[in-house]
Amino acid sequence: MTDSKYFTTTKKGEIFELKAELNSDKKEKKKEAVKKVIASMTVGKDVSALFPDVVNCMQTDNLELKKLVYLYLMNYAKSQPDMAIMAVNTFVKDCEDPNPLIRALAVRTMGCIRVDKITEYLCEPLRKCLKDEDPYVRKTAAVCVAKLHDINAQLVEDQGFLDTLKDLISDSNPMVVANAVAALSEIAESHPSSNLLDLNPQSINKLLTALNECTEWGQIFILDCLANYTPKDDREAQSICERVTPRLSHANSAVVLSAVKVLMKFMEMLSKDLDYYGTLLKKLAPPLVTLLSAEPELQYVALRNINLIVQKRPEILKHEMKVFFVKYNDPIYVKLEKLDIMIRLASQANIAQVLAELKEYATEVDVDFVRKAVRAIGRCAIKVEQSAERCVSTLLDLIQTKVNYVVQEAIVVIKDIFRKYPNKYESVIATLCENLDSLDEPEARAAMIWIVGEYAERIDNADELLESFLEGFHDESTQVQLQLLTAIVKLFLKKPTETQELVQQVLSLATQDSDNPDLRDRGYIYWRLLSTDPVAAKEVVLAEKPLISEETDLIEPTLLDELICYIGTLASVYHKPPSAFVEGGRGVVHKSLPPRTASSESAESPETAPTGAPPGEQPDVIPAQGDLLGDLLNLDLGPPVSGPPLATSSVQMGAVDLLGGGLDSLMGDEPEGIGGTNFVAPPTAAVPANLGAPIGSGLSDLFDLTSGVGTLSGSYVAPKAVWLPAMKAKGLEISGTFTRQVGSISMDLQLTNKALQVMTDFAIQFNRNSFGLAPAAPLQVHAPLSPNQTVEISLPLSTVGSVMKMEPLNNLQVAVKNNIDVFYFSTLYPLHILFVEDGKMDRQMFLATWKDIPNENEAQFQIRDCPLNAEAASSKLQSSNIFTVAKRNVEGQDMLYQSLKLTNGIWVLAELRIQPGNPSCTLSLKCRAPEVSQHVYQAYETILKN
Amino acid sequence: MIGGLFIYNHKGEVLISRVYRDDIGRNAVDAFRVNVIHARQQVRSPVTNIARTSFFHVKRSNIWLAAVTKQNVNAAMVFEFLYKMCDVMAAYFGKISEENIKNNFVLIYELLDEILDFGYPQNSETGALKTFITQQGIKSQHQTKEEQSQITSQVTGQIGWRREGIKYRRNELFLDVLESVNLLMSPQGQVLSAHVSGRVVMKSYLSGMPECKFGMNDKIVIEKQGKGIADETSKSGKQSIAIDDCTFHQCVRLSKFDSERSISFIPPDGEFELMRYRTTKDIILPFRVIPLVREVGRTKLEVKVVIKSNFKPSLLAQKIEVRIPTPLNTSGVQVICMKGKAKYKASENAIVWKIKRMAGMKESQISAEIELLPTNDKKKWARPPISMNFEVPFAPSGLKVRYLKVFEPKLNYSDHDVIKWVRYIGRSGIYETRC
């Protein structure tokens, strides 16, 4: 013997003993033994070894023993299919037994022995039992069809059991009808396409009759089945509703909920003007309230459903607020659900009561519940404007309690209140700031940071507060990091002078030291915005935010409609469609509410069904609390409005100097809302490498789109003029002009040798000038210039040279050198060569900028002798990169609103008034740098007149 | 439908395990034990989803009943079934305890086989079940063919709750109107919410298949009748009550109630709950609690509570109990009460004041000094409400039974021969006053 006996003895002994007892002659002993076997089976011991011995006990007239053996069989037949066949004969025999209880027992158990081999033996007895004279056998056989279908669907179809089952719907016994309905409904679920439950007015009538007579469970099966029916018109819907409403008084909550489901669904088809519609609404409230006096588990199911019903049809329970007040002894799951419904029902009429309750709840013990109560107070403030003030003061009281999680929750909701009612309750900020140190949850920290950033101008030490958060930047959660980044950028835009260091610190933390792509990208975007166009940055970051909607966690309407079709079921408890938690194809057929039909026409396809209320009534859905913050954060970047692409290649700044040239104007401006419109312009411009901002790998590609876009036809080119007469330059005559073509500027030169000697070694250099013009290539004169010879050269220019303000602005000092000497001359370039191709401003932006630029910057000019109409002028100007943003006709005058941008990023806005028949037109220019106006006017004149 | 049903003891050991569907395996038994029974946290929901399997549970004393499914079942039905299951078991062997379940496990399996077929609940009326599932095990061989078909027709029939051929020498019925009155009152004495949930429980010992009709002072019925008799309208109008909602035992013909508001039925034999109802208007609140809590410094509380009885002086309330919660850091309590006995129960964190009897229109008072241990616990004491228990011999809703008529056309007894008893008991439900 091996040692293995030590591991098996007890068990082996036990089994052996049982085996002996099972084969005992004494009936009592046998029964006791089977009981022991069942007991072992229950606790999970494997007693399958006793299979033959137990099956031997099957042949008995003792019904109790027989039931026990059957119980054993059901459990182990699957593991011993061959042995299970042994039992078949007894089953078949039992199905013929004169006692209907035995016949039913046999057919019931056979269905539970889920062995393929047995199924074929089952067919004949089942067929007989389905037509049995005794209703008890028939109702059992009806369920057996569902069992068999679960094992072998094909067999059930082939044997015609489905038809027999359908016939049972017309059975005289209501319980047989109910079980047949239950079985058919389940089978139909696995065959969504088949028309198994062929529901028509006749069969519906039969079901409604059986409804009055069968057991409570049968009523549930029938009501659940009725809910799948789509009446052909509102009349039929009403008549079904009338026959279903009495069920609302049933003691069984499931019957009530299933009736509510049928009514809620069919109500969709009734016209709201109908008297009956109002009656029905009134009838629904009392039973729903009664459900709340059921046992807590059922209350929970009821409350989850009421939550749906209140969202779908708030009018039903709008006067029943009080019944949802939380009782001290309610289980926590009931408390939380009640709270949810209270908020949904809160209105101006009952808000005082609700708030008083919520304040009580906020002092309870359960942390989750208290948090939810605090949050609920915030939601009330947002939902009922009149109560906002009281809510805020309640929240402040709660903050005074200093209970950590209460304070944090309160701060999170106060942030939402600020969003909803801007500039109303900011007086409380000081109190909030006192609690800064106690915040340890990311959501609360993020909310607090948001508040500090948003109201930086009102908080004296905002920079210190934010700086203190910055110390542990990398230990914070992403939510907090993102918020901190945004808040500091906001702070910087509001108080640029003191916080430059801080903003650079956070930008480098976000972009260089972080692995989080979201954080990095947001950092880059801010960085570039700030470096490229601080004014735009301000408009983007400090844009007015849309108000948040009052209902924050409504279920999305189509899902809500689907869930209404599942009232009472698990789907309505989870608030998820069945497909989310049911495996396989079962029960995942998408259900939808029936369409409202006033005529007798029925809409067959559910796809055409309009969802309940007209879209206008549906409140906007914004994500639930949890997502709300993410939403807030994203808001700063705004929806992608196609804004003006920024300068391509002109802003010259060192990496250190983020402030750029626009800062001066920035500091002088009031950060007020811009003309009531809330737009934001995302940066979509190409960012040249020399900008100083670090280039994020993929980011620059994204922004590269705009480079190279431009008008193909060049702008106006003036004829060449003599810049350097020969007599001044020892025989070298230089004449030239400036051109702009496809985004590049060049200086077209004509060099003529009027001297007697050959000229070589040409070179050219520019002095520093207002726009940083510089030769982009050396002056290439390939062959020596012989006397009397002329050469044409096009010298490409760039605008990245050194900048010095010149007088006049467009003055350019040039030095040309050859083998003879160095010559100096100066020339004036027309400003339009500096008008970039992407100088078209978005209309909104134009409007806003126009208003933003102070009036003293406006300059007005008359352009005489210019007999052009608006179209001609517009197209002419366009070819020189002066873009018409909008056009209006005011009192017979054409107004052209135009924009242009200089290579250094200065925008010039123009209003050109053309009066038909009058050869002169009026030009009004607005620009942050008014010095350029005069030259822009000259450019206009030049372009228009040529 | 229900895929399986398990019964566990408080340790999570399986006492009963019945699987109806293939998709529920043995591991489901363990999943529930690990995730719900042995969960560290308090149960947060009676429905739990573990690995796409949903568990519904109810608890009776320390026994867990769990129904398991993988489908989108009717959740309300599952809970109703679990309650029913408890009722049936209680009707067979009394209290649901581990011992009783172990002693009756064969019976429980037999019941489960009968009342749940492939997860579909079947007739679960104890009256019907007891005719063929007995603790002795039925001796089918002794039954006649008539008896057998009588059983099956009752189990499946329209009147599944009553068998034919019942005979009593004395036809007698008892009606109990049992109400529980619920109140939530603010410290200032403002009623925040109040409702009565009532039950009419009937015990019938009647022969044959008696047709019964029950009448009460339902406002709608009285007003309907009052149209004919003009003088009585004003008189009876006062006495009638507005019922917010009511539900009935399945024996009541609901369609008749819906159309005529008459309550007619053939009662089950023995005790059953005929109807439940709820009222919220004109409730007689039997007691008023006036609390006064004063915090004297950080280590002392002074509590004074006055209760006033508010009903006819000739009536007596019984089993009066006032429960005054005390903070967790209570170190000692001194109580003085004019009537009854009061004790501080440290284990329950409450002063419990008991008065055996109290007549209407009286008042009584208790005062207590509560010494507190100084704590540095930041969390404030939540001040749970003062709750009250009592029993009064009238219906706080004002409900009155007007008649219960019995007709049995086949047997030779008439309505007058039936002995009828009516009793009213009003009990406190959740009767709380905030302090």
Side-chain angles (χ1 to χ4, degrees):
Chain A
M1 287 294 283
T2 62
D3 286 349
S4 67
K5 64 170 190 254
Y6 294 114
F7 297 95
T8 51
T9 39
T10 43
K11 207 175 174 182
K12 208 172 194 176
E14 197 185 358
I15 297 270
F16 186 74
E17 224 167 78
L18 282 171
K19 208 178 180 89
E21 283 175 33
L22 284 170
N23 291 316
S24 152
D25 295 335
K26 287 181 191 149
K27 266 189 185 170
E28 275 311 300
K29 203 158 194 186
K30 241 184 198 177
K31 203 162 102 183
E32 285 308 305
V34 178
K35 279 189 185 178
K36 277 186 204 161
V37 171
I38 302 287
S40 309
M41 191 176 88
T42 298
V43 297
K45 282 186 199 158
D46 183 15
V47 283
S48 59
L50 296 167
F51 200 92
D53 309 280
V54 177
V55 169
N56 275 338
C57 304
M58 200 172 164
Q59 291 270 16
T60 171
D61 49 4
N62 183 321
L63 200 56
E64 194 189 3
L65 180 56
K66 200 183 264 287
K67 283 182 178 174
L68 287 173
V69 174
Y70 282 0
L71 192 63
Y72 179 91
L73 266 176
M74 285 186 262
N75 241 319
Y76 286 114
K78 215 167 181 193
S79 57
Q80 313 234 350
D82 295 326
M83 303 273 245
I85 298 285
M86 285 164 44
V88 164
N89 265 335
T90 321
F91 280 124
V92 175
K93 219 178 91 197
D94 278 359
C95 282
E96 309 275 348
D97 196 280
N99 186 342
L101 291 174
I102 304 246
R103 294 202 295 277
L105 180 64
V107 79
R108 186 165 67 209
T109 313
M110 269 178 100
C112 295
I113 295 175
R114 308 173 57 81
V115 173
D116 258 339
K117 281 183 187 164
I118 276 195
T119 52
E120 49 194 286
Y121 298 99
L122 181 58
C123 291
E124 275 323 297
L126 178 59
R127 199 186 314 282
K128 266 188 208 149
C129 288
L130 280 168
K131 301 213 159 102
D132 199 285
E133 53 168 18
D134 194 295
Y136 184 75
V137 180
R138 289 202 301 277
K139 72 114 185 161
T140 311
V143 175
C144 191
V145 176
K147 293 177 188 170
L148 190 59
H149 186 271
D150 199 35
I151 309 168
N152 191 342
Q154 194 57 46
L155 185 75
V156 170
E157 274 169 53
D158 295 346
Q159 296 279 334
F161 285 137
L162 293 181
D163 294 325
T164 324
L165 202 54
K166 273 194 226 168
D167 294 342
L168 287 184
I169 290 189
S170 315
D171 198 281
S172 57
N173 184 295
M175 197 156 169
V176 177
V177 177
N179 276 2
V181 166
L184 276 174
S185 300
E186 192 173 341
I187 295 171
E189 266 179 18
S190 53
H191 291 278
S193 54
S194 77
N195 198 16
L196 254 183
L197 266 166
D198 168 35
L199 294 176
N200 52 49
Q202 288 76 37
S203 60
I204 290 293
N205 198 31
K206 276 176 204 154
L207 291 181
L208 286 168
T209 311
L211 186 61
N212 287 323
E213 292 163 351
C214 61
T215 64
E216 46 195 328
W217 315 116
Q219 297 186 17
I220 299 168
F221 303 150
I222 292 178
L223 287 168
D224 285 352
C225 173
L226 275 178
N228 291 328
Y229 177 63
T230 308
K232 64 180 195 302
D233 57 23
D234 53 341
R235 273 238 218 75
E236 195 189 1
Q238 180 175 341
S239 85
I240 296 175
C241 287
E242 278 166 359
R243 293 179 70 178
V244 166
T245 36
R247 297 299 122 199
L248 294 175
S249 306
H250 203 286
N252 187 314
S253 309
V255 174
V256 176
L257 268 179
S258 290
V260 169
K261 166 166 55 189
V262 175
L263 297 175
M264 282 292 288
K265 209 177 158 187
F266 289 7
M267 236 168 137
E268 279 301 303
M269 299 181 66
L270 301 176
S271 154
K272 283 192 174 171
D273 314 326
L274 224 57
D275 285 345
Y276 182 70
Y277 180 85
T279 319
L280 201 52
L281 274 186
K282 277 197 204 114
K283 277 191 176 173
L284 277 170
L288 288 173
V289 174
T290 298
L291 291 176
L292 299 183
S293 45
E295 290 83 347
E297 292 87 1
L298 267 174
Q299 275 188 54
Y300 174 72
V301 173
L303 285 165
R304 293 292 283 173
N305 278 285
I306 289 172
N307 201 328
L308 298 172
I309 293 167
V310 164
Q311 288 184 55
K312 182 72 192 166
R313 297 194 184 276
E315 61 271 31
I316 294 177
L317 288 166
K318 66 177 175 212
H319 299 304
E320 304 287 350
M321 169 62 91
K322 276 190 179 179
V323 301
F324 297 103
F325 284 178
V326 169
K327 292 184 190 133
Y328 189 72
N329 291 324
D330 280 338
I332 183 66
Y333 49 81
V334 168
K335 284 184 176 176
L336 292 171
E337 289 308 313
K338 280 188 173 173
L339 194 51
D340 225 27
I341 294 167
M342 277 174 68
I343 305 160
R344 294 200 194 286
L345 291 177
S347 68
Q348 207 185 326
N350 56 25
I351 194 74
Q353 270 184 317
V354 174
L355 265 183
E357 281 294 306
L358 292 176
K359 207 175 167 181
E360 285 286 330
Y361 304 163
T363 58
E364 282 230 29
V365 239
D366 190 285
V367 177
D368 281 356
F369 182 60
V370 171
R371 281 173 180 275
K372 199 161 181 173
V374 175
R375 229 162 241 240
I377 296 174
R379 274 167 70 185
C380 283
I382 289 163
K383 196 172 173 188
V384 185
E385 185 161 2
Q386 291 80 357
S387 76
E389 200 159 334
R390 227 172 324 164
C391 293
V392 171
S393 77
T394 307
L395 288 170
L396 284 179
D397 288 351
L398 290 173
I399 288 176
Q400 298 304 339
T401 63
K402 303 278 175 197
V403 178
N404 187 280
Y405 55 87
V406 173
V407 173
Q408 309 213 34
E409 210 62 45
I411 285 180
V412 172
V413 294
I414 285 179
K415 171 211 66 190
D416 288 352
I417 295 176
F418 283 173
R419 278 288 306 281
K420 173 79 181 183
Y421 309 109
N423 307 316
K424 234 176 151 179
Y425 299 109
E426 283 72 13
S427 51
V428 308
I429 289 175
T431 321
L432 303 186
C433 289
E434 288 165 20
N435 293 287
L436 213 59
D437 300 333
S438 63
L439 308 179
D440 52 13
E441 290 162 23
E443 201 180 353
R445 285 173 84 83
M448 192 63 220
I449 293 169
W450 182 85
I451 292 170
V452 173
E454 190 65 17
Y455 299 100
E457 67 273 27
R458 307 186 189 205
I459 305 170
D460 294 337
N461 58 344
D463 47 345
E464 286 169 35
L465 294 179
L466 292 176
E467 201 169 358
S468 68
F469 280 106
L470 203 56
E471 280 161 20
F473 189 77
H474 289 297
D475 302 327
E476 300 282 4
S477 72
T478 309
Q479 190 183 19
V480 179
Q481 288 177 333
L482 287 168
Q483 199 55 266
L484 195 54
L485 172 61
T486 304
I488 291 179
V489 171
K490 281 182 189 164
L491 172 70
F492 168 68
L493 289 166
K494 287 172 177 175
K495 301 178 176 173
T497 41
E498 309 127 58
T499 55
Q500 200 175 335
E501 205 175 306
L502 194 61
V503 79
Q504 283 182 13
Q505 204 183 335
V506 76
L507 285 176
S508 84
L509 278 171
T511 53
Q512 284 157 28
D513 303 336
S514 170
D515 293 333
N516 183 323
D518 285 346
L519 184 63
R520 224 166 39 212
D521 285 0
R522 191 181 290 190
Y524 282 133
I525 288 169
Y526 281 143
W527 198 327
R528 242 154 253 165
L529 257 177
L530 290 173
S531 57
T532 320
D533 190 345
V535 181
K538 197 164 183 177
E539 281 156 0
V540 170
V541 179
L542 301 181
E544 214 168 284
K545 282 159 271 303
L547 294 182
I548 57 174
S549 107
E550 55 184 48
E551 296 285 359
T552 47
D553 56 353
L554 287 179
I555 293 175
E556 189 255 326
T558 48
L559 176 61
L560 179 63
D561 283 355
E562 190 182 356
L563 291 179
I564 290 287
C565 301
Y566 288 114
I567 283 178
T569 69
L570 266 180
S572 73
V573 174
Y574 294 147
H575 288 184
K576 282 177 188 160
S579 52
F581 59 91
V582 174
E583 265 167 17
R586 233 169 227 247
V588 292
V589 191
H590 177 77
K591 292 192 184 177
S592 61
L593 290 175
R596 177 156 299 163
T597 50
S599 69
S600 57
E601 274 304 303
S602 86
E604 283 293 16
S605 64
E607 283 78 17
T608 60
T611 52
E617 285 180 18
Q618 296 286 358
D620 291 333
V621 176
I622 73 170
Q625 288 287 357
D627 302 333
L628 199 64
L629 196 81
D631 202 54
L632 282 176
L633 289 165
N634 288 336
L635 235 149
D636 295 336
L637 288 171
V641 180
S642 59
L646 301 177
T648 49
S649 57
S650 61
V651 186
Q652 301 164 27
M653 275 167 275
V656 193
D657 185 10
L658 286 172
L659 302 182
L663 183 65
D664 305 37
S665 55
L666 177 73
M667 286 170 73
D669 286 342
E670 275 299 307
E672 56 187 41
I674 310 159
T677 54
N678 43 5
F679 66 90
V680 276
T684 52
V687 180
N690 61 351
L691 256 183
I695 296 295
S697 46
L699 212 59
S700 57
D701 299 344
L702 273 178
F703 287 157
D704 250 335
L705 288 168
T706 43
S707 54
V709 177
T711 41
L712 283 169
S713 62
S715 46
Y716 165 70
V717 182
K720 288 195 182 85
V722 175
W723 287 341
L724 184 69
M727 48 199 287
K728 276 193 177 173
K730 302 183 178 167
L732 174 67
E733 189 187 72
I734 302 178
S735 58
T737 187
F738 291 93
T739 62
R740 180 180 182 90
Q741 226 150 18
V742 205
S744 57
I745 309 167
S746 53
M747 189 190 230
D748 289 346
L749 295 169
Q750 184 178 326
L751 306 178
T752 312
N753 186 351
K754 296 211 167 160
L756 298 168
Q757 62 182 110
V758 176
M759 293 181 183
T760 56
D761 302 327
F762 285 95
I764 194 162
Q765 206 168 15
F766 293 177
N767 199 358
R768 286 191 288 172
N769 55 68
S770 310
F771 293 94
L773 283 172
L779 186 65
Q780 304 242 325
V781 183
H782 297 292
L785 200 61
S786 317
N788 269 334
Q789 198 191 354
T790 299
V791 66
E792 301 261 3
I793 301 160
S794 181
L795 176 72
L797 302 184
S798 73
T799 51
V800 293
S802 318
V803 178
M804 185 174 79
K805 196 174 168 191
M806 299 297 291
E807 192 55 48
L809 208 61
N810 58 342
N811 194 7
L812 180 66
Q813 297 179 337
V814 186
V816 175
K817 178 194 133 223
N818 61 11
N819 56 338
I820 300 164
D821 205 340
V822 182
F823 314 102
Y824 300 95
F825 66 92
S826 73
T827 178
L828 296 176
Y829 48 88
L831 212 61
H832 69 258
I833 61 161
L834 299 173
F835 298 175
V836 295
E837 276 72 14
D838 54 10
K840 181 158 183 163
M841 207 180 243
D842 171 55
R843 287 171 88 119
Q844 295 283 332
M845 177 80 150
F846 182 90
L847 203 65
T849 316
W850 184 272
K851 287 187 180 159
D852 211 18
I853 298 174
N855 278 336
E856 45 287 15
N857 284 12
E858 185 171 351
Q860 213 169 59
F861 305 93
Q862 288 288 321
I863 302 171
R864 289 172 210 290
D865 305 310
C866 169
L868 287 168
N869 64 16
E871 267 77 19
S874 175
S875 71
K876 214 166 180 176
L877 290 167
Q878 170 129 17
S879 58
S880 295
N881 295 337
I882 298 172
F883 298 93
T884 304
V885 176
K887 199 175 135 183
R888 261 199 319 166
N889 191 295
V890 183
E891 295 161 359
Q893 303 183 54
D894 282 320
M895 314 283 279
L896 293 177
Y897 295 95
Q898 297 176 316
S899 72
L900 61 93
K901 193 169 73 170
L902 301 180
T903 46
N904 60 356
I906 291 176
W907 285 91
V908 181
L909 310 185
E911 181 200 57
L912 187 63
R913 194 183 306 150
I914 300 171
Q915 208 163 8
N918 186 344
S920 61
C921 44
T922 315
L923 177 72
S924 302
L925 294 176
K926 260 191 162 184
C927 178
R928 288 189 200 277
E931 313 88 291
V932 303
S933 298
Q934 176 68 31
H935 305 280
V936 172
Y937 155 63
Q938 282 167 5
Y940 258 87
E941 202 165 39
T942 326
I943 297 162
L944 285 175
K945 290 189 176 168
N946 293 287
Chain B
M1 283 303 128
I2 298 173
L5 204 141
F6 307 121
I7 301 181
Y8 300 84
N9 64 9
H10 67 286
K11 287 187 224 154
E13 290 163 0
V14 195
L15 305 178
I16 298 286
S17 138
R18 178 75 163 92
V19 174
Y20 294 95
R21 302 268 174 145
D22 270 359
D23 51 8
I24 305 300
R26 185 87 201 170
N27 52 357
V29 180
D30 303 324
F32 183 76
R33 179 186 23 246
V34 172
N35 289 293
V36 180
I37 300 181
H38 291 170
R40 285 194 192 159
Q41 267 199 327
Q42 187 198 353
V43 176
R44 302 305 273 195
S45 159
V47 185
T48 321
N49 194 312
I50 307 161
R52 289 194 159 226
T53 310
S54 298
F55 295 81
F56 301 76
H57 74 264
V58 299
K59 236 185 135 185
R60 287 290 181 269
S61 59
N62 52 12
I63 297 295
W64 298 77
L65 273 87
V68 193
T69 183
K70 285 208 165 185
Q71 296 178 25
N72 181 31
V73 297
N74 189 321
M77 184 185 79
V78 175
F79 280 123
E80 282 284 1
F81 177 79
L82 288 173
Y83 300 143
K84 197 78 183 190
M85 176 78 202
C86 294
D87 291 349
V88 170
M89 289 195 292
Y92 269 95
F93 51 77
K95 194 173 172 260
I96 296 172
S97 64
E98 181 171 354
E99 200 191 348
N100 277 347
I101 288 174
K102 279 183 171 165
N103 286 337
N104 291 285
F105 84 93
V106 174
L107 172 74
I108 295 173
Y109 276 123
E110 208 175 322
L111 285 170
L112 279 177
D113 201 36
E114 184 59 44
I115 61 179
L116 205 54
D117 191 4
F118 199 45
Y120 299 115
Q122 303 292 304
N123 192 341
S124 46
E125 285 298 315
T126 8
L129 290 171
K130 278 190 169 170
T131 59
F132 68 107
I133 297 178
T134 61
Q135 271 171 300
Q136 289 78 41
I138 46 157
K139 306 290 179 278
S140 58
Q141 55 271 40
H142 301 319
Q143 288 172 327
T144 63
K145 205 166 179 199
E146 287 73 49
E147 278 169 351
Q148 287 163 5
S149 69
Q150 201 193 317
I151 289 171
T152 56
S153 78
Q154 196 203 329
V155 173
T156 60
Q158 285 187 30
I159 308 165
W161 53 87
R162 188 181 182 92
R163 64 190 169 91
E164 291 201 39
I166 298 172
K167 279 211 174 72
Y168 288 99
R169 276 177 60 199
R170 205 158 94 123
N171 287 298
E172 200 171 16
L173 67 84
F174 299 84
L175 271 180
D176 281 347
V177 176
L178 306 171
E179 295 196 338
S180 83
V181 52
N182 297 277
L183 170 75
L184 184 62
M185 194 175 254
S186 76
Q188 292 75 34
Q190 190 194 356
V191 177
L192 296 173
S193 74
H195 75 272
V196 166
S197 56
R199 305 187 298 145
V200 177
V201 175
M202 184 171 168
K203 257 182 249 173
S204 73
Y205 303 105
L206 301 168
S207 311
M209 297 298 262
E211 193 47 71
C212 297
K213 209 173 165 192
F214 174 69
M216 55 184 178
N217 58 340
D218 176 4
K219 201 173 188 172
I220 298 174
V221 176
I222 303 270
E223 273 171 9
K224 228 191 249 172
Q225 292 172 341
K227 274 174 199 161
I229 319 147
D231 333 339
E232 271 189 6
T233 332
S234 54
K235 218 172 98 191
S236 57
K238 261 183 221 158
Q239 287 166 356
S240 65
I241 61 160
I243 291 175
D244 287 27
D245 189 38
C246 46
T247 59
F248 296 100
H249 184 266
Q250 58 170 328
C251 66
V252 176
R253 293 181 186 88
L254 293 179
S255 39
K256 214 161 177 193
F257 178 76
D258 195 55
S259 56
E260 302 163 22
R261 221 171 157 87
S262 76
I263 302 164
S264 62
F265 55 96
I266 295 171
D269 195 39
E271 186 175 328
F272 73 103
E273 188 180 288
L274 175 64
M275 73 178 280
R276 278 177 186 239
Y277 57 91
R278 184 166 46 82
T279 73
T280 46
K281 286 200 190 76
D282 304 322
I283 293 168
I284 308 156
L285 296 170
F287 284 96
R288 163 89 205 272
V289 177
I290 304 151
L292 199 78
V293 180
R294 213 159 62 91
E295 292 183 30
V296 187
R298 295 201 57 198
T299 56
K300 202 168 153 191
L301 275 179
E302 278 180 10
V303 181
K304 200 174 110 181
V305 177
V306 180
I307 59 166
K308 285 183 181 174
S309 59
N310 178 34
F311 45 87
K312 267 192 267 174
S314 58
L315 297 174
L316 274 183
Q318 294 185 69
K319 300 178 189 168
I320 301 147
E321 188 187 287
V322 181
R323 188 170 280 264
I324 304 159
T326 56
L328 297 172
N329 55 337
T330 301
S331 62
V333 177
Q334 274 109 46
V335 214
I336 309 162
C337 58
M338 289 153 57
K339 222 179 160 197
K341 281 180 190 165
K343 241 189 207 166
Y344 165 61
K345 294 195 174 169
S347 58
E348 295 166 41
N349 289 312
I351 300 166
V352 180
W353 177 25
K354 285 183 179 173
I355 304 169
K356 274 189 185 147
R357 269 179 218 96
M358 189 166 170
M361 308 314 274
K362 289 263 185 335
E363 71 171 68
S364 193
Q365 184 185 316
I366 185 172
S367 27
E369 275 188 22
I370 302 169
E371 304 281 340
L372 302 175
L373 291 170
T375 55
N376 47 7
D377 196 1
K378 263 193 183 172
K379 220 195 288 176
K380 228 177 65 185
W381 177 48
R383 277 206 194 185
I386 295 174
S387 59
M388 225 192 136
N389 288 317
F390 54 80
E391 201 177 291
V392 288
F394 61 90
S397 70
L399 182 131
K400 292 266 183 323
V401 175
R402 290 172 63 218
Y403 57 80
L404 198 145
K405 292 176 191 153
V406 181
F407 312 95
E408 167 51 292
K410 283 181 196 157
L411 297 173
N412 58 348
Y413 71 95
S414 74
D415 184 40
H416 298 291
D417 304 327
V418 179
I419 304 157
K420 300 167 189 168
W421 306 87
V422 181
R423 183 165 63 155
Y424 298 92
I425 299 171
R427 291 199 184 100
S428 52
I430 294 162
Y431 203 85
E432 294 177 340
T433 307
R434 288 180 179 157
C435 57

